[in-house]
Amino acid sequence: MPAIHKHIQIEARPTGVFRFCHDMNRRPDWDERVTRAKVLTPKPIRRGTVVRMDTKPPMGDVFSWEGEFVEFHFPSSSRIEVIDVAPSSHFVDGSEKWVFQRSGDGTELSLVWEYRPRGILGRLLDLLVRRRTIRRAIGESLENLKEMIEAET
Protein backbone atom coordinates (compact mmCIF):
# COMPACT_ATOMS: atom_id res chain seq x y z
CA MET A 1 0.00 0.00 0.00
CA PRO A 2 1.54 3.38 -0.96
CA ALA A 3 2.29 5.77 1.90
CA ILE A 4 3.04 9.47 1.86
CA HIS A 5 5.02 10.80 4.85
CA LYS A 6 5.19 14.54 5.52
CA HIS A 7 6.54 16.53 8.49
CA ILE A 8 6.39 20.16 9.50
CA GLN A 9 7.57 22.27 12.43
CA ILE A 10 4.90 24.62 13.83
CA GLU A 11 5.67 27.33 16.37
CA ALA A 12 2.78 26.52 18.70
CA ARG A 13 2.17 24.05 21.51
CA PRO A 14 0.97 20.52 20.63
CA THR A 15 -2.40 21.02 22.38
CA GLY A 16 -3.27 24.00 20.19
CA VAL A 17 -2.02 22.35 17.00
CA PHE A 18 -3.96 19.15 17.80
CA ARG A 19 -7.19 21.09 18.45
CA PHE A 20 -6.80 23.13 15.25
CA CYS A 21 -6.17 20.02 13.12
CA HIS A 22 -9.27 18.32 14.50
CA ASP A 23 -11.62 21.29 14.00
CA MET A 24 -13.55 19.89 11.03
CA ASN A 25 -15.22 23.26 10.34
CA ARG A 26 -11.79 24.74 9.59
CA ARG A 27 -10.31 21.79 7.70
CA PRO A 28 -11.28 23.10 4.22
CA ASP A 29 -9.60 26.44 5.07
CA TRP A 30 -6.14 24.87 5.10
CA ASP A 31 -6.36 21.38 3.55
CA GLU A 32 -5.91 21.63 -0.23
CA ARG A 33 -7.56 18.22 -0.66
CA VAL A 34 -10.79 18.96 1.28
CA THR A 35 -13.71 21.10 0.08
CA ARG A 36 -15.99 20.21 3.02
CA ALA A 37 -15.66 18.23 6.24
CA LYS A 38 -18.56 17.20 8.43
CA VAL A 39 -18.76 15.29 11.71
CA LEU A 40 -21.50 12.65 11.33
CA THR A 41 -21.63 11.38 14.93
CA PRO A 42 -22.26 13.34 18.16
CA LYS A 43 -19.42 15.64 19.24
CA PRO A 44 -16.84 15.87 20.68
CA ILE A 45 -14.44 14.13 18.31
CA ARG A 46 -13.01 11.01 19.94
CA ARG A 47 -12.28 7.39 19.11
CA GLY A 48 -15.27 6.10 17.12
CA THR A 49 -16.23 9.49 15.65
CA VAL A 50 -17.24 9.30 11.98
CA VAL A 51 -16.57 12.16 9.56
CA ARG A 52 -17.35 12.79 5.89
CA MET A 53 -14.80 14.49 3.66
CA ASP A 54 -15.69 15.99 0.31
CA THR A 55 -12.43 16.11 -1.59
CA LYS A 56 -11.15 17.67 -4.77
CA PRO A 57 -8.04 15.79 -5.81
CA PRO A 58 -5.46 17.60 -7.93
CA MET A 59 -6.53 15.31 -10.78
CA GLY A 60 -10.17 14.28 -11.13
CA ASP A 61 -13.65 15.07 -9.89
CA VAL A 62 -14.93 15.88 -6.43
CA PHE A 63 -15.80 12.77 -4.42
CA SER A 64 -16.71 11.97 -0.82
CA TRP A 65 -15.34 9.51 1.65
CA GLU A 66 -16.23 8.64 5.23
CA GLY A 67 -13.74 7.78 7.90
CA GLU A 68 -13.73 6.70 11.53
CA PHE A 69 -11.27 7.85 14.16
CA VAL A 70 -9.81 4.50 15.24
CA GLU A 71 -7.19 6.22 17.41
CA PHE A 72 -7.58 9.51 19.28
CA HIS A 73 -4.98 10.37 21.93
CA PHE A 74 -5.19 14.06 22.85
CA PRO A 75 -2.78 15.83 22.30
CA SER A 76 -0.30 13.35 20.83
CA SER A 77 -1.86 11.41 17.93
CA SER A 78 -4.90 10.32 15.98
CA ARG A 79 -5.66 8.03 13.08
CA ILE A 80 -8.66 8.03 10.80
CA GLU A 81 -9.48 4.98 8.73
CA VAL A 82 -11.54 5.14 5.53
CA ILE A 83 -14.75 3.13 6.00
CA ASP A 84 -16.64 4.13 2.84
CA VAL A 85 -15.58 5.87 -0.36
CA ALA A 86 -17.36 6.96 -3.52
CA PRO A 87 -16.82 4.76 -6.60
CA SER A 88 -15.40 7.82 -8.41
CA SER A 89 -12.48 8.08 -5.97
CA HIS A 90 -8.93 7.18 -6.95
CA PHE A 91 -8.53 4.95 -3.85
CA VAL A 92 -10.54 2.06 -2.37
CA ASP A 93 -9.37 2.42 1.22
CA GLY A 94 -6.77 4.14 3.33
CA SER A 95 -5.85 5.79 6.60
CA GLU A 96 -4.33 9.03 7.79
CA LYS A 97 -2.19 9.15 10.93
CA TRP A 98 -1.24 12.37 12.73
CA VAL A 99 1.51 12.55 15.37
CA PHE A 100 2.15 15.72 17.40
CA GLN A 101 5.46 15.90 19.28
CA ARG A 102 6.74 18.76 21.37
CA SER A 103 9.87 20.26 19.84
CA GLY A 104 11.38 23.16 21.77
CA ASP A 105 8.60 25.76 22.08
CA GLY A 106 6.73 24.28 19.14
CA THR A 107 5.35 21.10 17.64
CA GLU A 108 6.75 18.62 15.15
CA LEU A 109 3.71 17.42 13.20
CA SER A 110 3.99 14.18 11.21
CA LEU A 111 1.30 13.00 8.81
CA VAL A 112 1.15 9.65 7.03
CA TRP A 113 -1.48 8.99 4.35
CA GLU A 114 -1.64 5.31 3.34
CA TYR A 115 -4.04 4.25 0.60
CA ARG A 116 -4.79 1.53 -1.90
CA PRO A 117 -5.30 2.82 -5.47
CA ARG A 118 -8.42 1.71 -7.33
CA GLY A 119 -7.79 -0.89 -10.04
CA ILE A 120 -4.89 -1.57 -12.37
CA LEU A 121 -5.19 1.76 -14.17
CA GLY A 122 -5.38 3.52 -10.80
CA ARG A 123 -2.17 1.85 -9.64
CA LEU A 124 -0.43 2.88 -12.86
CA LEU A 125 -1.66 6.48 -12.62
CA ASP A 126 -0.62 6.53 -8.98
CA LEU A 127 2.93 5.56 -9.92
CA LEU A 128 3.12 7.99 -12.82
CA VAL A 129 1.36 11.09 -11.49
CA ARG A 130 -1.07 10.89 -8.59
CA ARG A 131 1.31 10.07 -5.77
CA ARG A 132 3.46 13.07 -6.66
CA THR A 133 0.46 15.42 -6.88
CA ILE A 134 -1.03 14.11 -3.63
CA ARG A 135 2.35 14.53 -1.88
CA ARG A 136 2.51 18.12 -3.16
CA ALA A 137 -1.09 18.84 -2.02
CA ILE A 138 -0.37 17.45 1.46
CA GLY A 139 2.82 19.53 1.69
CA GLU A 140 0.96 22.69 0.65
CA SER A 141 -1.81 21.87 3.12
CA LEU A 142 0.66 21.56 5.98
CA GLU A 143 2.25 24.89 5.00
CA ASN A 144 -1.24 26.48 5.03
CA LEU A 145 -1.88 24.92 8.44
CA LYS A 146 1.40 26.25 9.82
CA GLU A 147 0.71 29.74 8.50
CA MET A 148 -2.80 29.85 9.97
CA ILE A 149 -1.81 28.50 13.39
CA GLU A 150 1.23 30.73 13.74
CA ALA A 151 -0.82 33.78 12.70
CA GLU A 152 -3.28 33.05 15.52
CA THR A 153 -0.66 32.59 18.25
Side-chain angles (χ1 to χ4, degrees):
M1 194 178 314
I4 296 171
H5 301 259
K6 295 299 272 183
H7 306 274
I8 195 162
Q9 178 71 30
I10 300 174
E11 297 305 316
R13 295 185 169 264
T15 54
V17 176
F18 188 96
R19 283 188 179 111
F20 196 98
C21 289
H22 292 86
D23 181 346
M24 291 299 133
N25 293 326
R26 298 195 72 182
R27 181 93 182 238
D29 296 341
W30 59 267
D31 194 330
E32 300 281 328
R33 304 166 297 160
V34 176
T35 60
R36 188 170 69 125
K38 182 178 181 182
V39 178
L40 300 178
T41 51
K43 293 182 182 180
I45 292 177
R46 60 189 175 277
R47 188 172 180 263
T49 295
V50 176
V51 296
R52 176 180 297 130
M53 302 284 186
D54 293 341
T55 62
K56 173 67 173 117
M59 299 173 50
D61 297 323
V62 173
F63 65 88
S64 296
W65 60 271
E66 292 178 3
E68 178 182 355
F69 280 94
V70 295
E71 295 176 21
F72 193 85
H73 307 288
F74 177 80
S76 60
S77 67
S78 69
R79 186 169 65 90
I80 189 168
E81 196 166 290
V82 175
I83 57 174
D84 190 30
V85 64
S88 59
S89 75
H90 61 272
F91 61 89
V92 292
D93 59 26
S95 70
E96 190 166 87
K97 171 112 177 155
W98 297 74
V99 176
F100 306 81
Q101 293 184 322
R102 186 171 192 119
S103 175
D105 290 335
T107 302
E108 173 75 22
L109 170 58
S110 300
L111 181 150
V112 178
W113 167 240
E114 293 182 297
Y115 61 98
R116 189 164 46 107
R118 184 178 298 280
I120 294 170
L121 182 58
R123 287 193 292 274
L124 182 61
L125 283 171
D126 185 65
L127 286 171
L128 296 174
V129 182
R130 280 193 183 131
R131 192 174 312 166
R132 184 174 60 248
T133 58
I134 294 167
R135 181 178 288 114
R136 185 179 314 121
I138 290 172
E140 290 171 4
S141 297
L142 292 179
E143 289 293 335
N144 295 341
L145 176 70
K146 173 184 173 70
E147 185 177 305
M148 289 178 73
I149 291 173
E150 290 179 353
E152 291 185 8
T153 57

